[in-house]
Short mmCIF file of all heavy atoms in Angstrom, two decimals:
data_model
loop_
_atom_site.label_atom_id
_atom_site.label_comp_id
_atom_site.label_asym_id
_atom_site.label_seq_id
_atom_site.Cartn_x
_atom_site.Cartn_y
_atom_site.Cartn_z
N SER T 314 -18.36 -53.97 22.00
CA SER T 314 -17.72 -55.33 22.12
C SER T 314 -16.43 -55.37 21.49
O SER T 314 -16.17 -54.57 20.58
CB SER T 314 -18.72 -56.34 21.55
OG SER T 314 -18.77 -56.18 20.22
N GLU T 315 -15.73 -56.37 21.81
CA GLU T 315 -14.43 -56.68 21.25
C GLU T 315 -14.43 -56.75 19.81
O GLU T 315 -13.71 -56.29 18.98
CB GLU T 315 -13.84 -57.89 21.79
CG GLU T 315 -12.37 -58.14 21.45
CD GLU T 315 -11.43 -57.93 22.67
OE1 GLU T 315 -11.91 -57.37 23.63
OE2 GLU T 315 -10.31 -58.37 22.66
N ASP T 316 -15.57 -57.53 19.31
CA ASP T 316 -15.76 -57.77 17.81
C ASP T 316 -16.01 -56.40 17.12
O ASP T 316 -15.48 -56.29 16.03
CB ASP T 316 -17.03 -58.77 17.60
CG ASP T 316 -16.62 -60.21 17.92
OD1 ASP T 316 -15.41 -60.39 18.27
OD2 ASP T 316 -17.51 -60.95 18.13
N ASP T 317 -16.91 -55.65 17.71
CA ASP T 317 -17.12 -54.37 17.04
C ASP T 317 -15.94 -53.41 16.91
O ASP T 317 -15.72 -52.84 15.88
CB ASP T 317 -18.32 -53.57 17.82
CG ASP T 317 -19.66 -54.19 17.57
OD1 ASP T 317 -19.68 -55.04 16.59
OD2 ASP T 317 -20.58 -53.75 18.35
N ALA T 318 -15.15 -53.38 18.01
CA ALA T 318 -13.94 -52.67 17.98
C ALA T 318 -12.89 -53.19 16.99
O ALA T 318 -12.30 -52.36 16.26
CB ALA T 318 -13.30 -52.69 19.35
N GLU T 319 -12.81 -54.39 16.88
CA GLU T 319 -11.92 -55.03 15.93
C GLU T 319 -12.43 -54.84 14.46
O GLU T 319 -11.57 -54.53 13.59
CB GLU T 319 -11.85 -56.55 16.19
CG GLU T 319 -10.80 -57.33 15.41
CD GLU T 319 -9.49 -56.69 15.46
OE1 GLU T 319 -8.92 -56.31 16.66
OE2 GLU T 319 -8.82 -56.45 14.43
N ALA T 320 -13.74 -54.89 14.30
CA ALA T 320 -14.27 -54.61 13.00
C ALA T 320 -14.02 -53.21 12.48
O ALA T 320 -13.63 -52.90 11.29
CB ALA T 320 -15.76 -54.87 12.95
N LEU T 321 -14.08 -52.31 13.44
CA LEU T 321 -13.74 -50.87 13.12
C LEU T 321 -12.32 -50.75 12.70
O LEU T 321 -11.95 -50.07 11.75
CB LEU T 321 -14.17 -49.99 14.24
CG LEU T 321 -13.85 -48.40 14.14
CD1 LEU T 321 -14.65 -47.86 12.95
CD2 LEU T 321 -14.01 -47.67 15.39
N ALA T 322 -11.43 -51.29 13.55
CA ALA T 322 -10.06 -51.20 13.27
C ALA T 322 -9.63 -51.83 11.88
O ALA T 322 -8.86 -51.29 11.17
CB ALA T 322 -9.32 -51.94 14.37
N ALA T 323 -10.26 -53.02 11.62
CA ALA T 323 -10.01 -53.64 10.35
C ALA T 323 -10.47 -52.81 9.33
O ALA T 323 -9.86 -52.83 8.08
CB ALA T 323 -10.69 -55.10 10.35
N ALA T 324 -11.69 -52.15 9.33
CA ALA T 324 -12.27 -51.44 8.28
C ALA T 324 -11.34 -50.24 7.95
O ALA T 324 -11.07 -49.94 6.81
CB ALA T 324 -13.64 -50.87 8.65
N VAL T 325 -10.73 -49.62 9.02
CA VAL T 325 -9.76 -48.57 8.92
C VAL T 325 -8.55 -48.99 7.99
O VAL T 325 -8.10 -48.37 7.11
CB VAL T 325 -9.57 -47.87 10.17
CG1 VAL T 325 -8.38 -46.70 9.91
CG2 VAL T 325 -10.73 -47.16 10.75
N ARG T 326 -8.02 -50.18 8.56
CA ARG T 326 -6.84 -50.70 7.96
C ARG T 326 -7.08 -51.04 6.41
O ARG T 326 -6.28 -50.74 5.61
CB ARG T 326 -6.40 -52.02 8.67
CG ARG T 326 -5.09 -51.91 9.35
CD ARG T 326 -4.59 -53.18 9.88
NE ARG T 326 -5.61 -54.12 10.26
CZ ARG T 326 -5.97 -54.29 11.54
NH1 ARG T 326 -5.63 -53.41 12.52
NH2 ARG T 326 -6.97 -55.18 11.83
N ASP T 327 -8.17 -51.74 6.12
CA ASP T 327 -8.54 -52.10 4.77
C ASP T 327 -8.68 -50.96 3.75
O ASP T 327 -8.28 -51.08 2.67
CB ASP T 327 -9.77 -52.93 4.80
CG ASP T 327 -9.62 -54.40 5.31
OD1 ASP T 327 -8.52 -54.65 5.61
OD2 ASP T 327 -10.55 -55.17 5.50
N VAL T 328 -9.33 -49.85 4.32
CA VAL T 328 -9.54 -48.77 3.39
C VAL T 328 -8.15 -48.24 2.84
O VAL T 328 -8.15 -47.82 1.70
CB VAL T 328 -10.39 -47.77 4.18
CG1 VAL T 328 -9.61 -46.72 4.91
CG2 VAL T 328 -11.30 -46.95 3.06
N LYS T 329 -7.03 -48.22 3.74
CA LYS T 329 -5.80 -47.75 3.30
C LYS T 329 -5.14 -48.81 2.44
O LYS T 329 -4.41 -48.52 1.47
CB LYS T 329 -5.01 -47.44 4.46
CG LYS T 329 -5.43 -46.20 5.17
CD LYS T 329 -5.45 -44.95 4.36
CE LYS T 329 -4.13 -44.37 3.85
NZ LYS T 329 -4.27 -43.25 3.04
N ALA T 330 -5.34 -50.22 2.84
CA ALA T 330 -4.58 -51.21 2.18
C ALA T 330 -5.15 -51.61 0.82
O ALA T 330 -4.43 -51.84 -0.14
CB ALA T 330 -4.55 -52.41 3.11
N SER T 331 -6.51 -51.56 0.70
CA SER T 331 -7.04 -52.12 -0.57
C SER T 331 -7.51 -51.09 -1.56
O SER T 331 -7.79 -51.48 -2.79
CB SER T 331 -8.24 -53.05 -0.14
OG SER T 331 -9.25 -52.35 0.48
N LEU T 332 -7.67 -49.88 -1.16
CA LEU T 332 -8.14 -48.96 -2.15
C LEU T 332 -6.98 -48.24 -2.91
O LEU T 332 -5.97 -47.97 -2.37
CB LEU T 332 -9.01 -47.81 -1.44
CG LEU T 332 -10.30 -48.29 -0.87
CD1 LEU T 332 -11.05 -47.08 -0.34
CD2 LEU T 332 -11.10 -49.10 -1.83
N ARG T 333 -7.21 -47.96 -4.14
CA ARG T 333 -6.29 -47.33 -4.99
C ARG T 333 -6.90 -46.57 -6.09
O ARG T 333 -8.15 -46.59 -6.09
CB ARG T 333 -5.27 -48.38 -5.62
CG ARG T 333 -5.95 -49.51 -6.42
CD ARG T 333 -4.97 -50.60 -6.84
NE ARG T 333 -5.55 -51.68 -7.47
CZ ARG T 333 -5.86 -52.81 -6.87
NH1 ARG T 333 -5.96 -52.84 -5.53
NH2 ARG T 333 -6.62 -53.77 -7.50
N LEU T 334 -6.26 -45.87 -7.08
CA LEU T 334 -6.93 -45.23 -8.06
C LEU T 334 -7.07 -46.06 -9.32
O LEU T 334 -6.16 -46.87 -9.70
CB LEU T 334 -6.06 -43.84 -8.50
CG LEU T 334 -5.84 -42.87 -7.35
CD1 LEU T 334 -5.19 -41.67 -7.97
CD2 LEU T 334 -7.24 -42.42 -6.78
N CYS T 335 -8.24 -45.99 -9.94
CA CYS T 335 -8.49 -46.68 -11.24
C CYS T 335 -7.47 -46.17 -12.28
O CYS T 335 -7.27 -44.96 -12.43
CB CYS T 335 -9.90 -46.35 -11.65
SG CYS T 335 -10.26 -47.00 -13.23
N SER T 336 -6.80 -47.10 -12.87
CA SER T 336 -5.86 -46.81 -13.89
C SER T 336 -6.45 -46.00 -15.19
O SER T 336 -5.72 -45.37 -15.83
CB SER T 336 -5.08 -47.99 -14.44
OG SER T 336 -5.94 -48.83 -15.03
N ILE T 337 -7.84 -46.08 -15.27
CA ILE T 337 -8.43 -45.44 -16.46
C ILE T 337 -8.91 -44.04 -16.04
O ILE T 337 -8.67 -43.01 -16.74
CB ILE T 337 -9.49 -46.28 -17.07
CG1 ILE T 337 -8.91 -47.63 -17.55
CG2 ILE T 337 -10.27 -45.54 -18.23
CD1 ILE T 337 -10.03 -48.55 -18.04
N CYS T 338 -9.62 -43.98 -14.87
CA CYS T 338 -10.39 -42.76 -14.68
C CYS T 338 -9.91 -42.09 -13.40
O CYS T 338 -10.47 -41.00 -13.11
CB CYS T 338 -11.95 -42.98 -14.59
SG CYS T 338 -12.38 -43.93 -13.15
N ASN T 339 -9.10 -42.57 -12.57
CA ASN T 339 -8.54 -42.11 -11.41
C ASN T 339 -9.56 -42.11 -10.24
O ASN T 339 -9.45 -41.49 -9.28
CB ASN T 339 -8.00 -40.61 -11.65
CG ASN T 339 -7.06 -40.47 -12.70
OD1 ASN T 339 -6.16 -41.28 -12.89
ND2 ASN T 339 -7.24 -39.38 -13.48
N ASN T 340 -10.69 -42.88 -10.42
CA ASN T 340 -11.60 -42.86 -9.29
C ASN T 340 -11.06 -43.81 -8.20
O ASN T 340 -10.20 -44.72 -8.53
CB ASN T 340 -12.97 -43.56 -9.76
CG ASN T 340 -14.05 -43.60 -8.74
OD1 ASN T 340 -13.93 -42.81 -7.82
ND2 ASN T 340 -15.05 -44.37 -8.97
#
Side-chain angles (χ1 to χ4, degrees):
Chain T
S314 69
E315 192 106 340
D316 287 349
D317 284 350
E319 190 50 50
L321 177 65
V325 173
R326 245 192 327 268
D327 284 357
V328 87
K329 290 301 285 180
S331 62
L332 292 188
R333 54 185 175 270
L334 297 187
C335 171
S336 57
I337 297 173
C338 72
N339 308 317
N340 185 21

